[in-house]
Amino acid sequence: MINIYPSLISADLMNLEKEIKLLEPYCTGFHIDVMDNHFVPNLTWGKMFIDAIGKITKKPLWVHLMIDNPSIFIDTLVLSPESILTFHIESASDVKKLSRRIKEKNIIPSIAVSPKTPVEKIFPFLDLVDHILIMTVEPGFSGQCFLQSSKSKIEKLFSHVNISKLKVSDLRIKISVDGGVGRENIGELAKIGVSDFAVGSGIFDYKNRVEAIKKLYELAKKI
Ligand code: DX5
Ligand code: ZN
């Protein structure tokens, strides 16, 4: 199954509710980037904003924490079931504890790996999370080019998971990507096994957002 989450930092922010309502019938949920200007050189939204979004949509949220100290944030966050909470391996002091806390909140725990971090770093934690995010751009900004080197990283992850007979074989773990995803690469990524996509400019750069997301689903399913 293919899941596409429009990444809201790329939306028309002065018309965010309109953007959400427009895409809601077509997407799996919405991707929200939380940046603290320390872990990444950009600053975005916090809990109040996430709560406000949660009030206007029934769709699950996929919250992507690009912050130095994810544990404080995780404690305060309330998300609907089926929502995903991603923290980065690079800023997680205790992966086990973070995953457990997220599960206690009935949210899906997800671990992200940035482009410069070897994917092997997350191998010891695969049985603690249900979702993995391979960053396909340097975290911080939307509108960047997809890093081709990420493909071999994804393949490495899949072969590890297959060899060690971990959860992907029974589809309990999902592999996702975020950054530079669009018409030119979504099919190929779906083909190698990626199921969840955060997409910013690949949707919001188009005047007709609905056509844009429909096209992405169509291309991803054509495998
Ligand atoms: C990058 C963010 C992404 C970004 C995606 O740090 O995590 O979610 O918004 O935007 P595009 O799809 O334009 O690369
Ligand atoms: Zn993101």
Side-chain angles (χ1 to χ4, degrees), residues 9-75:
I9 56 167
S10 307
D12 174 0
L13 298 182
M14 292 299 114
N15 286 297
L16 201 50
E17 184 166 5
K18 218 164 111 190
E19 297 267 44
I20 289 172
K21 295 288 176 206
L22 180 73
L23 285 165
E24 198 170 35
Y26 305 96
C27 65
T28 302
F30 293 96
H31 183 87
I32 302 180
D33 288 314
V34 178
M35 306 185 190
D36 66 354
N37 213 17
H38 290 277
F39 183 70
V40 288
N42 198 1
L43 185 65
T44 58
W45 307 307
K47 175 182 160 51
M48 282 159 75
F49 178 83
I50 297 167
D51 288 347
I53 298 285
K55 282 193 186 118
I56 61 159
T57 180
K58 288 198 173 60
K59 287 279 164 105
L61 301 180
W62 173 6
V63 177
H64 178 191
L65 300 179
M66 284 162 277
I67 59 178
D68 268 349
N69 191 349
S71 66
I72 297 170
F73 202 87
I74 290 168
D75 283 343

Side-chain angles (χ1 to χ4, degrees), residues 7 9 31 33 35 64 66 135 139-143 178-180 199-201:
S7 182
I9 56 167
H31 183 87
D33 288 314
M35 306 185 190
H64 178 191
M66 284 162 277
M135 284 305 293
F141 299 91
S142 94
D178 180 14
V199 184
S201 29

